[in-house]
Amino acid sequence: LGAIRLAALPASETRTFGFHRAEVFASLINGTSIFLIAGGIFYEASGRLVHPEKVNSLPMLVIATLGLIMNLLSASALHEHSHDDLNVRSAFLHVIGDAAASLGVIIGGVIMYYSDWYILDAIISIGIGCVVFYGAWRVLRESTHILLEGVPRGMKVSEVADNIRSVEGVRDIHHLNIWSICSHIVALSAHLDVQPEFKGRQAKLLHAVEHMLQEKYHITHTTLQVECTHCIAGPVIKRFSHRSRQSHCNH
């Protein structure tokens, strides 16, 4: 909730993109904590697997049932926004994992109540740990991908470049960069080599490219540099290089 409020703050002179990535950092922290929780579950389960302990099944069933109800209510409230907000998605996966854990505990509790097969407690815990671990891995993978300026998943740079070239007046494209500011804001920058006869109609051409990007890829933040002469040939994706440390020290 704090990350959502922070992300809503306006941009400033020191943070021109605003605080949108607060949700990504929150997801990274959330995913890391869930990952550690999974490790703790595996550790505790391994001990009970070797030395099963008697479980008081009835209180466990009552607590697990209450937990399942609360987690399902939380999941239903988060589900609507879990597809377009990474922070909400991480919270949604968290409560879904908890709900699955509660369901597993209920099933195990019923079996142990009638059979005294207490090793099942450790087996269920390992299963719960696997579910929690998988959810944590997904959140960590997505948040790290965004923080490393990765191209949004499911989007192909070559396909975007071809669609830009298909706009009337665009001869070629290079220095193309696509990245996610957060889970629901995608940015793009590129150099467009336009045909000479479109030199006086650059505004219309740019509008056509921006409209296509928004309609097909939901890219709403674009920075396009128009060039009316052939640039030095180069790859579509520009390679960035670190400034020489020696040069930096000399200055």
Side-chain angles (χ1 to χ4, degrees), residues 60-108:
M60 183 178 74
L61 282 171
V62 173
I63 295 172
T65 302
L66 291 174
L68 178 62
I69 294 171
M70 295 303 297
N71 282 309
L72 289 177
L73 290 174
S74 299
S76 64
L78 293 169
H79 180 263
E80 182 180 354
H81 301 287
S82 63
H83 300 290
D84 53 11
D85 191 301
L86 183 60
N87 186 36
V88 177
R89 190 185 314 159
S90 66
F92 175 73
L93 290 173
H94 195 161
V95 296
I96 285 295
D98 288 345
S102 298
L103 182 61
V105 170
I106 291 171
I107 296 172

Side-chain angles (χ1 to χ4, degrees), residues 71-216:
N71 282 309
L72 289 177
L73 290 174
S74 299
S76 64
L78 293 169
H79 180 263
E80 182 180 354
H81 301 287
S82 63
H83 300 290
D84 53 11
D85 191 301
L86 183 60
N87 186 36
V88 177
R89 190 185 314 159
S90 66
F92 175 73
L93 290 173
H94 195 161
V95 296
I96 285 295
D98 288 345
S102 298
L103 182 61
V105 170
I106 291 171
I107 296 172
V110 172
I111 294 173
M112 286 185 287
Y113 183 78
Y114 290 103
S115 67
D116 293 337
W117 190 34
Y118 296 123
I119 196 173
L120 186 61
D121 179 45
I123 296 173
I124 291 173
S125 295
I126 292 173
I128 292 170
C130 290
V131 173
V132 173
F133 179 84
Y134 177 69
W137 175 76
R138 287 182 61 186
V139 171
L140 287 173
R141 180 187 64 175
E142 188 65 25
S143 57
T144 303
H145 185 73
I146 293 176
L147 291 174
L148 290 176
E149 310 284 359
V151 176
R153 297 195 183 278
M155 189 179 296
K156 295 182 179 180
V157 173
S158 58
E159 180 184 306
V160 175
D162 288 340
N163 277 299
I164 292 176
R165 291 190 188 100
S166 69
V167 175
E168 184 183 8
V170 177
R171 180 160 49 190
D172 202 0
I173 178 174
H174 46 270
H175 293 184
L176 174 61
N177 296 294
I178 308 173
W179 70 100
S180 296
I181 296 173
C182 60
S183 57
H184 55 277
I185 300 178
V186 181
L188 177 147
S189 66
H191 290 194
L192 303 181
D193 185 9
V194 304
Q195 297 171 2
E197 57 268 27
F198 279 81
K199 184 176 181 180
R201 292 180 283 169
Q202 291 182 9
K204 185 177 180 180
L205 184 145
L206 288 175
H207 177 74
V209 173
E210 290 170 352
H211 179 73
M212 181 276 295
L213 291 172
Q214 185 170 355
E215 287 294 314
K216 287 192 174 183

Side-chain angles (χ1 to χ4, degrees), residues 210-228:
E210 290 170 352
H211 179 73
M212 181 276 295
L213 291 172
Q214 185 170 355
E215 287 294 314
K216 287 192 174 183
Y217 302 103
H218 305 290
I219 299 175
T220 55
H221 183 87
T222 56
T223 303
L224 302 172
Q225 179 175 319
V226 175
E227 298 160 347
C228 295

Side-chain angles (χ1 to χ4, degrees), residues 1-6 87:
L1 183 60
I4 293 174
R5 290 179 177 177
L6 188 60
N87 186 36

Side-chain angles (χ1 to χ4, degrees), residues 15-64:
R15 291 181 176 84
T16 56
F17 280 106
F19 292 82
H20 292 288
R21 284 207 168 161
E23 70 162 60
V24 185
F25 279 108
S27 299
L28 184 67
I29 294 170
N30 194 14
T32 303
S33 65
I34 298 172
F35 185 85
L36 294 174
I37 290 171
I41 293 173
F42 286 136
Y43 177 78
E44 291 293 329
S46 63
R48 294 199 301 273
L49 195 63
V50 178
H51 303 289
E53 299 178 3
K54 184 177 180 179
V55 177
N56 196 346
S57 302
L58 193 57
M60 183 178 74
L61 282 171
V62 173
I63 295 172

